Amino acid sequence: MANLNMADALNLALMQEMEKDGDVIVFGEDVGVDGGVFRITDGLLDRFGERRVIDTPVAETAIAGFAIGMAAYGLKPVGEMQFTGFSYQGFHQMESHAARLRWRSRGRYPISMVLRMPYGAGVHALEHHSESREVYYAHTPGLKMVIPSTPRNARALLVSAIRDPDPVIFFEPKAIYRAFREEVPEEEETLPIGQSRTARQGSDLTMISYGAMLHRTLEAAERLADEDGAEAEVIDLLSLSPLDHERFTQSARNTGRVVIVHEAHRSYGPAGEIMARLIEESFYYLEAPIRRVTGFDTIVPMFAREQDYLPDVERILEATRAAMND
Amino acid sequence: MPRKQVRLEHSVEYLSVMDKRGRVDEKLAPKIDNERLLEMHRTMLLSRRLDEQMLILQRQGRIGTFAPAIGQEGCQVGAMAALSRRDWFVPAFRETSAMLWRGFEPTNLLLYNAGYNEGGAIPEDSHDLPIAIPVASQLPYAVGLAYGTDYRDTDEIVITFFGDGATSEGDFHEAMNFASVFKTPIVFLCQNNHWAISMPRRRQSESKTLAQKALAYGMPALQIDGNDVFAVYAAVEEAAERARAGKGPMMIEAITYRMSVHTTADDPGKYRDEEEVEKWQEWDPILRLQKYLKAKKHLTDQQIDELEEEIAKQVNEAWEKADKQMQELDDPSVIFDHLYEQLPEYLKAQRQAFEQRLKHGG
């Protein structure tokens, strides 16, 4: 066991998978000598050399395409997009080919690859460095889309993503890369993609979140317990595609009250899909309208006002109390 | 301090081996044995007749939109014949002749063009990638594939095809740059067929040649007569040797001509003169190769007639087989196949609901 932050835990996952499997190749802008702008790939170049840890020219399309071609050849590429805000230049490769080559070739070319990228607001960054556009990827058939929330599950989920036979988009909540530490076992650990977890037990209300916002949701749940005496169950989605609807459905049927929290934009956001599932399948179990606390449908503001954009504990509590009192 | 010249010692060579009348410069000609040459000729002719038949079938409404390779058969077959089966073939969407050379079944091509995914199936041991429709988007992954062949220390190389229009796409430039920076074993074969739907080559780029774009990436390039199978073969052989020797990528600009429509969805009468097409007919790659083969007494008019008959029969049989298969492919729930290695629960549920509806005649 080591007490690691998420950045170190992700680094551990890469180190161990590269050690174990000579087909794992890491590449992207500044991932080698510099160790990545967030130091996630620190030390990999020294250990594995430049054929396996590749500093690429600044070209997101080519990084995504490079990964697809390597995967078609049978390697296990792990590409990095420096920020999600720059991944759009590679998006067409992911949509047109990563997601489709297995399908188009009728199984001849499975694309087992990972595209990692830090997402989300809260680190005082420039424009284009704070978005939470997981929906673009979760909406695309043929891709998988995961977002960890703690050091330990980040490490396990990245290992699973690398071993997964399908293309996985791996969003890293950069606001909590170094926010806290957790015991992470030295021995190998995986986490099935498409499986959520219960982050807090409770029977009065269901709160659903993921990534960096999970922690504000948990904080709101604690305050609700302290101030109102109500116990919220908190579900951490971990995978947006495939979405594990069983766990939150069970919880919602049990509590009858649901609040969904994410920093992605509200309209057509993940909460909309989760609400639709609950209304389709669990409508008669619900005791109150489902609430969502999300980023606004604005462009993510520049950093002086980014905290006004993000859901905060007060907003989450307000929605939670409304759901409790209906 | 002063403003001075940066010397760039670059130029692009142009290669032609065979003239309009099928006469070959023996000094420049690649060594291709007669049997192979006749096989190349047969594939080119098959490609032409299959395209012609598909144009008819499309007009009859029996298959959908497709992009004929008419006029580019020499370029495609010449290129593929210079490579090994172990080399990787990354097509765009107008590579019918190349696909046929690699053994792609005409029946499957007909199925694909009739709208059935099954037609696009790639056999497990094949080193061919499927058709890629978004222009130039195949080039970045072709480079990744080439990195793979190098990483595993094989002597396999990659060839990828694209058109003059593709050289305007960002994907082309990013892929060329990556290939050169990482010295990947890949041949970029640009089929400059003069037209990107309605956009003529002269308006696609102000560059004097398309080949010279490679020079900006520190990559050698060759411009060739793309309707001359010998020139194409020689150029690809040279580029492949370079790549195999670890010297990195090369670009070939093959000057050819799209003698038919862009796809069956457009009408070239709106944007180009028939005279231009007639002029290019004199450079028809199949006729030129036949002139050569006849002059060398490798082929007679009678043999060509017999071959035409045999190919007509093959094309008809391919269609009959495709037509029969389409009637047997009556299970639409295959739309859920091959999305993921294992279908996730939510998709299983969608598939089940769909199958229930089918069962009840929904």
Side-chain angles (χ1 to χ4, degrees):
Chain A
M1 284 279 185
N3 202 25
L4 303 181
N5 63 35
M6 189 185 286
D8 296 334
L10 289 165
N11 184 263
L12 176 69
L14 291 169
M15 279 283 182
Q16 289 186 332
E17 282 305 284
M18 291 190 77
E19 196 69 63
K20 193 181 158 91
D21 183 351
D23 283 346
V24 178
I25 297 182
V26 167
F27 51 92
E29 296 156 14
D30 309 297
V31 301
V33 176
D34 197 38
V37 293
F38 290 102
R39 305 289 174 266
I40 308 301
T41 53
D42 216 15
L44 296 181
L45 177 64
D46 285 345
R47 183 118 157 226
F48 302 106
E50 58 185 17
R51 265 159 71 89
R52 296 186 65 196
V53 182
I54 310 166
D55 273 321
T56 67
V58 185
E60 287 77 14
T61 298
I63 291 169
F66 208 40
I68 294 165
M70 283 187 200
Y73 193 76
L75 300 176
K76 289 268 186 181
V78 181
E80 177 178 303
M81 295 276 144
Q82 208 156 63
F83 290 89
T84 53
F86 308 139
S87 74
Y88 316 133
Q89 280 160 292
F91 183 78
H92 69 291
Q93 283 292 324
M94 299 309 294
E95 200 288 330
S96 307
H97 301 306
R100 293 167 181 254
L101 268 168
R102 173 195 289 279
W103 173 87
R104 189 179 298 138
S105 65
R106 312 313 284 165
R108 168 67 183 88
Y109 294 112
I111 303 300
S112 173
M113 63 171 279
V114 180
L115 205 56
R116 296 177 36 246
M117 50 190 113
Y119 86 97
V123 298
H124 290 231
L126 295 167
E127 196 191 345
H128 309 289
H129 292 65
S130 303
E131 285 70 20
S132 184
R133 299 275 165 79
E134 54 273 28
V135 173
Y136 293 169
Y137 296 102
H139 187 68
T140 303
L143 300 181
K144 291 178 177 171
M145 201 295 118
V146 300
I147 308 184
S149 58
T150 73
R152 186 167 177 175
N153 68 38
R155 186 282 195 104
L157 206 51
L158 183 53
V159 170
S160 294
I162 294 169
R163 297 181 190 175
D164 197 87
D166 298 306
V168 181
I169 306 295
F170 193 93
F171 267 31
E172 298 170 2
K174 64 175 170 290
I176 55 169
Y177 265 148
R178 293 182 167 79
F180 58 94
R181 290 173 177 273
E182 189 181 17
E183 292 295 326
V184 178
E186 176 68 22
E187 59 273 18
E188 171 180 315
E189 207 171 43
T190 58
L191 195 56
I193 287 173
Q195 195 170 298
S196 60
R197 71 181 182 111
T198 304
R200 185 184 194 281
Q201 307 260 337
S203 56
D204 298 322
L205 167 92
T206 300
M207 300 177 85
I208 304 169
S209 190
Y210 55 90
M213 287 300 109
L214 176 79
H215 302 281
R216 292 186 178 190
T217 306
L218 284 167
E219 203 182 321
E222 290 307 320
R223 286 222 2 226
L224 189 74
D226 289 349
E227 295 168 21
D228 301 28
E231 295 298 336
E233 184 143 279
V234 179
I235 310 282
D236 178 5
L237 289 176
L238 294 170
S239 295
L240 290 191
S241 177
L243 181 65
D244 174 11
H245 73 285
E246 302 257 338
R247 188 179 298 266
F248 68 69
T249 296
Q250 282 308 317
S251 178
R253 287 183 179 189
N254 188 35
T255 65
R257 298 170 196 278
V258 180
V259 174
I260 306 159
V261 183
H262 60 61
E263 64 177 282
H265 306 299
R266 190 179 193 83
S267 299
Y268 306 96
E273 174 61 25
I274 294 163
M275 288 167 107
R277 293 293 301 241
L278 288 171
I279 288 165
E280 281 169 346
E281 293 161 18
S282 308
F283 184 73
Y284 298 110
Y285 295 86
L286 297 175
E287 308 265 355
I290 303 172
R291 272 29 184 225
R292 53 181 163 168
V293 188
T294 68
F296 298 111
D297 288 330
T298 62
I299 291 164
V300 179
M302 289 177 65
F303 72 81
R305 299 189 183 91
E306 67 181 335
Q307 291 300 339
D308 296 302
Y309 167 88
L310 286 173
D312 62 12
V313 176
E314 290 304 326
R315 271 171 65 199
I316 300 170
L317 259 181
E318 203 175 294
T320 307
R321 285 180 173 137
M324 283 305 296
N325 294 332
D326 260 330
Chain B
M1 203 89 78
R3 179 169 173 157
K4 59 182 183 185
Q5 285 282 320
V6 177
R7 292 224 172 271
L8 299 174
E9 288 172 16
H10 287 311
S11 67
V12 170
E13 286 180 339
Y14 177 85
L15 175 68
S16 148
V17 176
M18 176 168 60
D19 69 8
K20 196 154 76 171
R21 287 186 282 174
R23 289 179 310 200
V24 162
D25 180 334
E26 298 294 345
K27 287 198 298 294
L28 293 173
K31 287 184 178 50
I32 313 175
D33 66 48
N34 288 337
E35 202 182 324
R36 195 164 184 82
L37 210 46
L38 288 170
E39 192 53 33
M40 289 164 67
H41 168 254
R42 189 191 190 286
T43 305
M44 288 161 66
L45 202 57
L46 170 63
S47 179
R48 176 73 55 93
R49 300 301 173 237
L50 182 61
D51 268 339
E52 287 166 352
Q53 186 60 31
M54 288 198 292
L55 285 168
I56 294 167
L57 290 166
Q58 192 276 335
R59 281 181 187 133
Q60 292 170 340
R62 302 170 92 175
I63 64 169
T65 301
F66 77 100
I70 296 174
Q72 299 173 219
E73 298 91 343
C75 187
Q76 296 179 19
V77 174
M80 297 318 296
L83 299 174
S84 132
R85 295 269 152 197
R86 302 282 309 157
D87 291 326
W88 294 77
F89 163 53
V90 183
F93 55 78
R94 197 190 298 285
E95 275 68 67
T96 300
S97 322
M99 286 165 73
L100 291 171
W101 176 263
R102 296 282 281 193
F104 200 84
E105 288 293 332
T107 302
N108 282 358
L109 194 63
L110 286 157
L111 276 180
Y112 178 88
N113 287 335
Y116 289 88
N117 291 71
E118 288 89 337
I122 306 287
E124 268 312 307
D125 56 351
S126 167
H127 283 189
D128 300 353
L129 271 286
I131 286 170
I133 293 175
V135 172
S137 67
Q138 72 280 14
L139 303 177
Y141 66 73
V143 178
L145 207 60
Y147 191 88
T149 66
D150 189 38
Y151 183 74
R152 288 261 172 89
D153 287 328
T154 68
D155 66 349
E156 301 160 10
I157 64 143
V158 176
I159 186 167
T160 185
F161 285 72
F162 55 100
D164 39 317
T167 65
S168 299
E169 292 277 7
D171 284 30
F172 164 76
H173 295 276
E174 292 195 20
M176 293 280 284
N177 189 45
F178 260 49
S180 189
V181 166
F182 298 121
K183 270 194 182 266
T184 54
I186 180 168
V187 181
F188 288 95
L189 182 58
C190 175
Q191 297 182 90
N192 171 2
N193 70 9
H194 287 81
W195 291 92
I197 306 190
S198 65
M199 183 76 130
R201 157 63 186 91
R202 65 175 187 282
R203 291 190 56 206
Q204 195 66 241
S205 169
E206 282 293 317
S207 300
K208 191 171 178 187
T209 68
L210 297 178
Q212 77 198 59
K213 291 176 190 287
L215 305 181
Y217 298 105
M219 188 193 299
L222 192 56
Q223 193 187 51
I224 61 170
D225 177 351
N227 282 7
D228 165 357
V229 280
F230 296 104
V232 183
Y233 190 105
V236 171
E237 196 174 45
E238 180 185 324
E241 267 171 31
R242 260 186 68 83
R244 262 186 255 282
K247 292 180 182 163
M250 179 165 155
M251 176 175 165
I252 297 165
E253 178 192 0
I255 309 289
T256 180
Y257 192 74
R258 195 193 83 207
M259 281 163 71
S260 181
V261 291
H262 160 67
T263 69
T264 45
D266 82 331
D267 169 17
K270 258 187 94 175
Y271 52 79
R272 75 179 181 189
D273 292 334
E274 199 45 41
E275 283 166 28
E276 185 184 284
V277 184
E278 280 165 21
K279 191 196 94 187
W280 274 92
Q281 269 159 359
E282 296 173 32
W283 295 90
D284 184 322
I286 298 178
L287 296 181
R288 281 166 75 191
L289 180 57
Q290 287 179 343
K291 282 175 191 165
Y292 169 85
L293 289 169
K294 285 198 283 189
K296 291 275 176 189
K297 310 242 183 287
H298 298 321
L299 195 65
T300 63
D301 280 325
Q302 198 197 331
Q303 282 171 319
I304 293 175
D305 290 344
E306 285 165 11
L307 190 59
E308 289 278 14
E309 247 176 74
E310 187 190 308
I311 285 172
K313 193 159 161 270
Q314 186 186 355
V315 170
N316 272 332
E317 282 171 2
W319 170 245
E320 278 167 21
K321 202 171 152 195
D323 197 29
K324 186 160 169 285
Q325 277 185 25
M326 280 187 259
Q327 287 160 32
E328 288 160 4
L329 294 172
D330 59 353
D331 178 10
S333 72
V334 298
I335 62 176
F336 291 95
D337 289 347
H338 300 299
L339 283 167
Y340 297 94
E341 184 172 271
Q342 281 187 318
L343 207 59
E345 290 303 320
Y346 71 99
L347 273 168
K348 275 189 197 156
Q350 289 179 21
R351 182 175 195 150
Q352 264 165 17
F354 179 58
E355 284 172 346
Q356 279 299 320
R357 274 181 58 85
L358 290 175
K359 216 182 270 174
H360 296 104

